[in-house]
Amino acid sequence: MLNKDVPFENCLPFIIGVTGHRDLDQPERYKDDIRKALTFWLDEVDPSTPIWFLSGLAIGADLLATEVALELQETVKDKKLKIIGCLPMPLENYAMDFEGLQYAPAAREKLYNVIAQLKKDENELIEVRHSLSHETYHSAIHDKSYSSARNSLYLNQGLFIAKYSNVLISLWDGKEAKGIGGTADIVRYKLGDKVSWPVGTENPALQSTSDFDGQTPGLVHHLLASRHNSGESLTINCKTEFTQHITNISIPIGELYSSIGKSEKADSFLQSFLSREFKKLTSDLTLFNRQARDLEIGQEHDNDVGLEETASIFKAADALALLTQTTYRNFVLVFFLLAIPGYCLYEISSNWVNTGVGLGIFSIIFMVILSCWWVIKKTTNQDIKWKYQLARGVAEAMRVRGFLNIANVEPSATTLIPRRFRLHFPLLNHAVSVAEFDWWRHPSEFNKQYIEQKWLHDQLNFLNSRLQQSANSFSELLYKRPSYAANLASKFSRGFFYGAIFTGVALMVLMSIQYMFKVTLFLHLNTWLMLLLQYNLMISGLIMLWSELAGYEVTAKGYESLEELYKRAQILLTDELTPSKKQMLLDLAHEAMVEHVMWTTAEMKNDLKNKQ
């Protein structure tokens, strides 16, 4: 059951964007289509997941869709729907484009009415960051002739909405754009095509993805729409140019596209890959949010990790990771507490075969086996280890991206999560995108001392503590000192194994003497030596099994690799933030996520459910 008193701010959002023609033909007739599309996604997304609706608030499709979203917002429970208006420039300059439109004479008034409604609720209005120089930008926002610089701001706005949308609703006639930043450009960018910026205006934060990635993750929900006075009927067919999304759910209206059509072989591969990725994303999003929404965490928001509005999501993920980690560790502990006496009894059970004592021993062993099987089944059914890894991954992804926000390092086309893991960890990429919103919302100046303290120094302290070769308590040894625990586990396991060897040698010598000289002096001693041999081997194996399940060695090696990277970054981060230093910090973040994903992959192989 969901805790209805807990706000959605703990949860990762599902993001819907809108793009479309400014000069829609009879706009009101598309209102019902938009409502059907938005209602479909509201119903399709799990009730535990909030929805962010991104709109450029342009006249035509944008404002129309925003009006529908505002109407739906009044009917949706628990403030699930949040509307984020994304302006390309200050409102007073943007409003210049709403004046004197023959096809929409009341456009300016409608814009301000919608914005007034947005401000009444917990919605948001942001100005999308750009890469223009101060002089060029100042000229562009006051330019009424639609120069290339001003048009680049509209392209910048549209690509921002496309990049961060899990689903981009497009009211579009399917034709090529008439100018820079038109609906066609935005849709094609979302589906993996390249975009041509006016010379000198490209925003590095909105670079097109490589062909290797296929597309900016997400789908285009195409609603066919015609332009004002186009004189054309709505019979335009885009299916030959775009690859459709594979889904077993019928959308009420329009078409779902996943990528640009390239070739039959490429289309088939991308269609399968991108559809599986989208399905995996929504599944993991539901799994994470159903747990996160029930958490009660502190409402204070600190910016120690470069997160503002998204800080509560990070805190919930961090708290959830600790909670599920503790739950999983308890199951592993119960498993071992059950297994150890079972192993001990098994080693001596052969001495009492066909006796009443033997029947009792075998009954206990059978109960131990059933109990261990129950523990494994419980962890399997609840998928506790994956829930822990998922929450930890979300927290780490947001933490690392937050550090880049502090350093004012813009988003890039290269994802922080390695490409080879894109299909397996789409929620981590999504978490990075959500954390990036705070970079767009809150421009910050580079502060070397703050980055050194809050990122590099704090992380080095954490890594150093994890790599210490001492522990103040047994719990600290088991869970917070992977390097020390790995060394001790190896040392004790090796010691018991050598003990088994020495015991075996002694047993062979005594048995040889007994056989050669026909003496019975060592019969009882040999029995005890055999038990000692068996228990030495058993304890050695149990120690290594615990070490493997705990992932000590893999974790320690990952920490050691990261420590070296952080030390190098701390030494090299001097003076002002040059492009090369920005790239260094971006590489550091990438390597940190590579280590985390590799660690997660190794940890999942050591899941208790795989030890049946």
Side-chain angles (χ1 to χ4, degrees):
M1 292 293 291
L2 294 177
N3 184 350
K4 297 299 183 182
D5 296 326
V6 179
F8 276 105
E9 63 180 13
N10 290 358
C11 304
L12 282 168
F14 183 83
I15 305 175
I16 300 174
V18 63
T19 187
H21 299 310
R22 291 164 51 88
D23 55 343
L24 281 179
D25 184 37
Q26 301 177 38
E28 290 298 318
R29 67 172 171 159
Y30 299 109
K31 216 167 186 179
D32 189 52
D33 293 352
I34 297 169
R35 184 177 291 103
K36 286 179 181 178
L38 276 177
T39 302
F40 169 78
W41 290 110
L42 282 166
D43 293 339
E44 183 69 13
V45 174
D46 189 81
S48 63
T49 299
I51 287 180
W52 289 0
F53 179 75
L54 309 183
S55 170
L57 302 179
I59 192 62
D62 288 7
L63 277 182
L64 188 66
T66 307
E67 287 176 333
V68 174
L70 283 165
E71 292 171 5
L72 288 174
Q73 198 173 47
E74 296 179 2
T75 64
V76 175
K77 296 180 180 179
D78 304 322
K79 299 181 180 178
K80 177 177 179 175
L81 178 61
K82 177 180 180 178
I83 302 169
I84 303 177
C86 310
L87 300 178
M89 60 190 73
L91 178 59
E92 59 271 21
N93 302 104
Y94 188 43
M96 288 166 44
D97 294 338
F98 290 72
E99 299 171 352
L101 299 177
Q102 186 176 4
Y103 57 85
R108 184 185 175 96
E109 181 183 356
K110 179 175 285 191
L111 170 67
Y112 279 104
N113 285 340
V114 167
I115 288 177
Q117 291 182 67
L118 289 180
K119 291 180 177 178
K120 287 180 181 178
D121 299 305
E122 295 181 8
N123 296 305
E124 192 175 354
L125 199 62
I126 64 174
E127 186 180 330
V128 182
R129 294 174 68 173
H130 57 86
S131 60
L132 301 181
S133 67
H134 177 75
E135 294 76 13
T136 304
Y137 176 68
H138 186 267
S139 173
I141 63 175
H142 291 92
D143 179 22
K144 295 185 178 182
S145 61
Y146 290 98
S147 64
S148 60
R150 188 176 180 91
N151 282 337
S152 76
L153 292 175
Y154 288 111
L155 180 61
N156 189 66
Q157 171 201 42
L159 297 187
F160 167 79
I161 291 172
K163 176 175 181 175
Y164 291 100
S165 297
N166 300 120
V167 171
L168 179 66
I169 297 175
S170 68
L171 280 84
W172 178 43
D173 61 7
K175 290 183 172 294
E176 291 299 320
K178 292 183 178 180
I180 296 171
T183 304
D185 290 337
I186 308 308
V187 170
R188 298 183 74 88
Y189 168 85
K190 184 64 180 173
L191 296 177
D193 210 358
K194 306 301 179 187
V195 174
S196 297
W197 290 76
V199 177
T201 67
E202 182 176 4
N203 189 345
L206 296 171
Q207 291 175 342
S208 298
T209 57
S210 71
D211 288 340
F212 200 35
D213 286 311
Q215 62 141 169
T216 301
L219 307 175
V220 168
H221 189 164
H222 180 210
L223 304 179
L224 208 53
S226 62
R227 292 173 176 272
H228 180 69
N229 290 334
S230 65
E232 296 177 348
S233 60
L234 294 178
T235 58
I236 303 161
N237 190 344
C238 303
K239 293 181 183 179
T240 57
E241 200 172 356
F242 304 125
T243 302
Q244 289 188 294
H245 169 61
I246 302 172
T247 177
N248 56 359
I249 302 175
S250 298
I251 56 175
I253 191 168
E255 300 286 350
L256 281 182
Y257 300 124
S258 60
S259 64
I260 291 286
K262 296 180 179 179
S263 67
E264 186 174 343
K265 189 174 182 180
D267 291 351
S268 177
F269 173 80
L270 281 176
Q271 187 179 46
S272 174
F273 179 89
L274 297 172
S275 296
R276 283 184 291 142
E277 180 187 41
F278 187 81
K279 184 177 180 181
K280 174 70 171 169
L281 171 64
T282 54
S283 173
D284 285 349
L285 190 62
T286 297
L287 183 64
F288 173 81
N289 284 340
R290 283 184 177 179
Q291 301 171 89
R293 192 181 175 196
D294 283 332
L295 290 177
E296 294 186 13
I297 59 174
Q299 296 302 309
E300 69 280 358
H301 289 185
D302 60 69
N303 196 27
D304 283 352
V305 290
L307 303 172
E308 297 264 357
E309 276 80 357
T310 58
S312 57
I313 303 174
F314 162 72
K315 288 182 178 181
D318 203 37
L320 183 59
L322 290 173
L323 180 65
T324 49
Q325 181 187 50
T326 300
T327 303
Y328 179 74
R329 284 173 174 174
N330 290 339
F331 271 104
V332 173
L333 183 60
V334 170
F335 175 82
F336 267 84
L337 290 176
L338 290 170
I340 288 173
Y343 272 116
C344 293
L345 290 173
Y346 175 75
E347 295 298 338
I348 63 173
S349 61
S350 59
N351 297 322
W352 281 281
V353 176
N354 297 323
T355 67
V357 174
L359 177 62
I361 291 173
F362 280 112
S363 298
I364 295 173
I365 292 173
F366 183 67
M367 292 301 296
V368 166
I369 292 172
L370 287 179
S371 299
C372 288
W373 173 82
W374 177 85
V375 171
I376 292 173
K377 277 295 182 185
K378 195 77 172 175
T379 59
T380 301
N381 293 338
Q382 295 184 13
D383 217 1
I384 299 171
K385 187 69 175 287
W386 175 239
K387 289 177 180 177
Y388 159 56
Q389 297 295 349
L390 197 63
R392 175 53 59 211
V394 169
E396 289 305 311
M398 295 189 73
R399 188 200 310 272
V400 170
R401 182 57 239 185
F403 289 144
L404 292 176
N405 292 347
I406 291 175
N408 197 25
V409 176
E410 65 268 11
S412 68
T414 303
T415 59
L416 294 181
I417 312 301
R419 286 187 172 98
R420 63 187 181 276
F421 293 108
R422 172 174 165 176
L423 184 61
H424 307 293
F425 300 104
L427 190 64
L428 271 59
N429 271 326
H430 183 59
V432 170
S433 296
V434 171
E436 282 176 358
F437 258 80
D438 281 324
W439 180 86
W440 293 93
R441 287 161 163 153
H442 304 286
S444 60
E445 294 296 326
F446 173 70
N447 186 319
K448 175 177 172 289
Q449 288 73 27
Y450 194 70
I451 294 169
E452 285 180 334
Q453 180 62 39
K454 292 300 181 182
W455 184 4
L456 305 182
H457 186 263
D458 284 0
Q459 286 300 294
L460 275 171
N461 283 344
F462 170 80
L463 294 169
N464 288 335
S465 70
R466 291 299 191 259
L467 293 173
Q468 283 182 15
Q469 295 300 310
S470 63
N472 296 322
S473 66
F474 187 64
S475 175
E476 189 175 74
L477 167 66
L478 290 182
Y479 302 127
K480 294 184 178 180
R481 300 290 183 266
S483 179
Y484 186 41
N487 290 336
L488 283 181
S490 178
K491 178 181 177 180
F492 279 104
S493 179
R494 191 165 53 246
F496 280 107
F497 183 73
Y498 288 153
I501 293 176
F502 294 143
T503 304
V505 170
L507 183 60
M508 287 179 62
V509 170
L510 292 178
M511 289 179 69
S512 297
I513 293 173
Q514 180 177 302
Y515 178 75
M516 292 172 61
F517 298 104
K518 309 298 182 183
V519 297
T520 59
L521 180 65
F522 305 114
L523 281 176
H524 291 294
L525 180 58
N526 288 350
T527 300
W528 285 105
L529 285 175
M530 177 58 90
L531 279 175
L532 185 60
L533 170 64
Q534 290 173 317
Y535 280 116
N536 271 315
L537 288 174
M538 181 194 74
I539 294 171
S540 177
L542 284 172
I543 291 173
M544 291 315 295
L545 177 59
W546 173 269
S547 182
E548 182 183 354
L549 285 172
Y552 290 140
E553 190 170 346
V554 173
T555 304
K557 286 181 178 178
Y559 285 159
E560 288 169 2
S561 299
L562 281 178
E563 186 182 39
E564 289 299 320
L565 288 173
Y566 275 105
K567 283 180 178 178
R568 285 166 60 192
Q570 194 174 45
I571 293 170
L572 296 172
L573 189 66
T574 57
D575 305 321
E576 73 278 0
L577 187 65
T578 61
S580 63
K581 288 186 175 64
K582 267 192 176 184
Q583 187 60 49
M584 179 186 71
L585 293 177
L586 189 60
D587 289 344
L588 178 63
H590 177 74
E591 290 299 324
M593 288 312 302
V594 167
E595 286 294 341
H596 180 79
V597 171
M598 295 297 289
W599 170 76
T600 298
T601 304
E603 281 286 284
M604 290 312 299
K605 290 179 181 178
N606 294 329
D607 193 346
L608 190 60
K609 68 182 182 183
N610 297 325
K611 303 300 178 184
Q612 300 185 57

